[in-house]
Every structure is written in C-alpha cells, then in structure tokens.
Amino acid sequence: MPKTTILVDHGYHPEKIIPALEQIYPQIMTKIQFELSAKPSKAEKQAKGQSGFVPVAARWVIERSNAWVERCKSLVKNFDRTLARANAKLKLCFIRLMLKRLAAS
C-alpha cells in the first residue's frame, strides 16, 4: 500500500510531529510520510527577476483548500466528538463546493 504524502511548509517541523503522532497511533508512519514543500532560493528568484516573497505553488493549493473549508460554517470550530463525523463534514463541504461549481458551468 503506498504511503500518503503530507506536504508541509517550512513552518512545520516533521521531526517534532512524528514522535507525537507515534505516541497516539504507533502504526501511523507506515501509512503517511511528510514532505517539505520546495522553497525557491535567492539565486532562483534572482534568475527569474523576482525578489521578496514569492508564493510556492504547492503551498497555495493547501492554503486555498483551507480557505474553502473556512466557508463552511459547521467546520469553523470543530465540536465533533469523533474523527469519523469530522471527516464526514469535511467531505460534505467539498461536495457542496464541487456541486456549486458544476451548477455554475
């Protein structure tokens, strides 16, 4: 079974997250892996004529998804007692988003 890759930016530290996850769910690392998103170096930015903050494409996919989820009022604060219920609400939120886009096209 292939591992699910979780893409994180440089604000997260997988070396601190992994031991905490293994305490909660010891088999978790057989199912997931962490990958730091690519961050352009100063030389790469200069070669493209860019300076300062340059958005990373993969990070913005994650940020945009989080923004869509925040539009679902029931997901702004998580009061669910089970992970299955929270997961179901998240799926319903994205189903609603897809249906609105299909209806618009």
Side-chain angles (χ1 to χ4, degrees), residues 9-95:
D9 66 6
H10 293 269
Y12 295 92
H13 303 283
E15 67 275 0
K16 294 180 182 178
I17 297 172
I18 292 170
L21 285 173
E22 287 175 339
Q23 283 181 346
I24 297 168
Y25 184 33
Q27 301 85 12
I28 192 72
M29 295 316 294
T30 62
K31 299 178 182 182
I32 65 170
Q33 64 186 7
F34 290 99
E35 181 181 327
L36 287 173
S37 63
K39 186 176 181 181
S41 67
K42 288 182 181 180
E44 291 173 339
K45 287 195 272 186
Q46 287 176 351
K48 293 180 181 178
Q50 300 171 328
S51 65
F53 176 74
V54 177
V56 179
R59 179 174 178 206
W60 290 105
V61 170
I62 297 165
E63 297 293 330
R64 190 172 57 237
S65 298
N66 289 339
W68 289 334
V69 168
E70 287 178 5
R71 290 184 188 160
C72 295
K73 299 291 184 196
S74 64
L75 294 174
V76 173
K77 290 193 176 182
N78 190 1
F79 293 113
D80 295 318
R81 294 181 188 263
T82 64
L83 184 60
R85 186 175 167 99
N87 191 17
K89 280 187 175 181
L90 186 64
K91 287 179 182 175
L92 286 172
C93 176
F94 279 105
I95 289 170

